[in-house]
């Protein structure tokens, strides 16, 4: 039987250390093909390219014998998955892996995440998918501690499958050299970003803004991804992309909408 086909992508760009680490970790688990953005696409969410041309080309980054086939793409993470499934792969992948992201995608961050949107795009197509993130935003982050955890999660997903309509959002804490305590399956913590705009003026007199802000945790539960990460555990949140608030349907039906 052929090895599982593993499509790997990310949102930090095809040369990002997190992506290179993920490729290295999962190569023993199957046949890896990489389709990733040619430049950073963080915070793009589920954006797709519809008003511009989309380019892709075969690239060689890893010259090691047996290195996977890789393609760079001018588009977003969601574009990468769409293009891979429709044009670049010879068969449907058994799993899609996105990451390892430089920075957290826990809690409300999942909404803005290009990493998770790539995984969700695969999930929409009925393909098991996982987004991986390390809670360290630095380019030279230490991804070595994530290898055994990632291989364990991917192996279990390949063996057991992931329920339809669901993808996994995996976040790994920055441990500052300490051992990871384990894995917890969690819910997404309730939080938001308290945005601030730094207003400036260019040398030509034109006003512009830098977006910044503070993460505001509104959830004190001990069953959330944020709590698990603060305790030194890897968090796994099963994430669905059916955005229907099913519990509200009856409430809205009680409105006088058809009078």
């Amino acid at each position: 039987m052929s090895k599982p086909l593993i499509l790997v992508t990310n949102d930090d760009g095809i040369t990002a250390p997190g992506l290179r680490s993920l490729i290295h970790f999962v190569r023993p688990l199957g046949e890896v093909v990489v389709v990733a953005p040619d430049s950073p696409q963080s915070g793009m969410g589920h954006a797709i390219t519809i008003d511009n041309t989309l380019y892709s080309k075969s690239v060689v980054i890893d010259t090691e014998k047996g290195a996977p086939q890789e393609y760079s793409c001018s588009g977003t993470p969601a574009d990468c998955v769409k293009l891979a499934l429709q044009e670049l792969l010879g068969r449907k992948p058994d799993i899609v892996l996105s990451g390892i992201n430089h920075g957290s995608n826990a809690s409300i961050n999942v909404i803005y995440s290009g990493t998770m949107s790539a995984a969700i795009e695969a999930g929409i197509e009925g393909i098991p998918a996982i987004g991986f993130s390390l809670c360290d935003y630095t380019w030279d982050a230490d991804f070595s501690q994530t290898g055994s955890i990632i291989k364990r999660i991917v192996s279990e997903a390949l063996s057991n499958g992931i329920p339809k309509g669901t993808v996994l959002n995996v976040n790994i804490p920055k441990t500052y050299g300490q051992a990871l305590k384990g894995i917890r399956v969690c819910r997404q913590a309730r939080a938001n970003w308290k945005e601030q705009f730094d207003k400036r003026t260019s040398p030509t007199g034109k006003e512009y803004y830098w977006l910044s802000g503070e993460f505001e945790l509104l959830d004190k539960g001990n069953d959330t991804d944020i709590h698990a990460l603060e305790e030194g555990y890897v968090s796994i949140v099963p994430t669905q992309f059916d955005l229907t608030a099913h519990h509200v349907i009856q409430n809205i039906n009680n409105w006088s909408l058809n009078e």
Side-chain angles (χ1 to χ4, degrees), residues 183-223:
I183 301 173
R184 287 182 178 172
V185 181
C186 314
R187 64 178 176 86
Q188 175 183 321
R190 186 169 58 90
N192 62 22
W193 280 94
K194 196 171 183 180
E195 277 92 3
Q196 298 171 351
F197 286 91
D198 183 3
K199 184 178 179 180
R200 304 182 185 183
T201 304
S202 73
T204 61
K206 187 174 182 180
E207 293 181 346
Y208 65 97
Y209 300 86
W210 281 106
L211 173 62
S212 62
E214 295 181 358
F215 182 75
E216 186 176 30
L217 181 63
L218 305 172
D219 195 326
K220 302 302 182 182
N222 60 10
D223 59 343

Side-chain angles (χ1 to χ4, degrees), residues 106-142:
S107 186
I108 195 64
N109 294 317
V110 69
I111 297 294
Y112 308 103
S113 170
T115 299
M116 282 304 297
S117 289
I120 288 170
E121 182 62 38
I124 291 170
E125 296 297 327
I127 301 168
I130 309 172
F132 291 102
S133 303
L134 176 66
C135 299
D136 185 339
Y137 289 91
T138 60
W139 190 254
D140 60 350
D142 180 11

Side-chain angles (χ1 to χ4, degrees), residues 28-238:
L29 303 180
E31 177 189 351
V32 174
V33 178
V34 180
V35 183
D38 60 11
S39 60
Q41 298 285 326
S42 295
M44 291 297 292
H46 214 103
I48 56 174
T49 301
I50 58 175
D51 60 353
N52 205 344
T53 51
L54 195 63
Y55 296 94
S56 179
K57 65 178 180 179
S58 178
V59 296
V60 177
I61 297 175
D62 185 353
T63 58
E64 181 182 349
K65 183 178 180 181
Q69 177 67 59
E70 299 195 48
Y71 300 89
S72 66
C73 173
S74 63
T76 67
D79 286 330
C80 290
V81 174
K82 287 179 177 291
L83 194 64
L85 299 183
Q86 298 298 324
E87 296 290 335
L88 301 177
L89 301 182
R91 59 187 172 99
K92 184 177 181 180
D94 294 280
I95 196 167
V96 174
L97 307 177
S98 184
I100 306 167
N101 188 62
H102 292 244
S104 171
N105 278 316
S107 186
I108 195 64
N109 294 317
V110 69
I111 297 294
Y112 308 103
S113 170
T115 299
M116 282 304 297
S117 289
I120 288 170
E121 182 62 38
I124 291 170
E125 296 297 327
I127 301 168
I130 309 172
F132 291 102
S133 303
L134 176 66
C135 299
D136 185 339
Y137 289 91
T138 60
W139 190 254
D140 60 350
D142 180 11
F143 292 94
S144 61
Q145 63 176 325
T146 68
S148 60
I149 289 285
I150 287 174
K151 285 189 281 189
R152 188 187 317 166
I153 293 171
V154 174
S155 295
E156 288 295 316
L158 285 169
S159 297
N160 299 299
I162 297 174
K164 297 291 185 182
T166 305
V167 300
L168 301 184
N169 182 16
V170 177
N171 282 272
I172 303 168
K174 182 177 179 179
T175 61
Y176 301 94
Q178 302 298 314
L180 293 167
K181 292 183 179 180
I183 301 173
R184 287 182 178 172
V185 181
C186 314
R187 64 178 176 86
Q188 175 183 321
R190 186 169 58 90
N192 62 22
W193 280 94
K194 196 171 183 180
E195 277 92 3
Q196 298 171 351
F197 286 91
D198 183 3
K199 184 178 179 180
R200 304 182 185 183
T201 304
S202 73
T204 61
K206 187 174 182 180
E207 293 181 346
Y208 65 97
Y209 300 86
W210 281 106
L211 173 62
S212 62
E214 295 181 358
F215 182 75
E216 186 176 30
L217 181 63
L218 305 172
D219 195 326
K220 302 302 182 182
N222 60 10
D223 59 343
T224 70
D225 49 5
I226 296 296
H227 185 269
L229 292 165
E230 289 176 344
E231 293 292 313
Y233 289 86
V234 174
S235 68
I236 300 180
V237 176

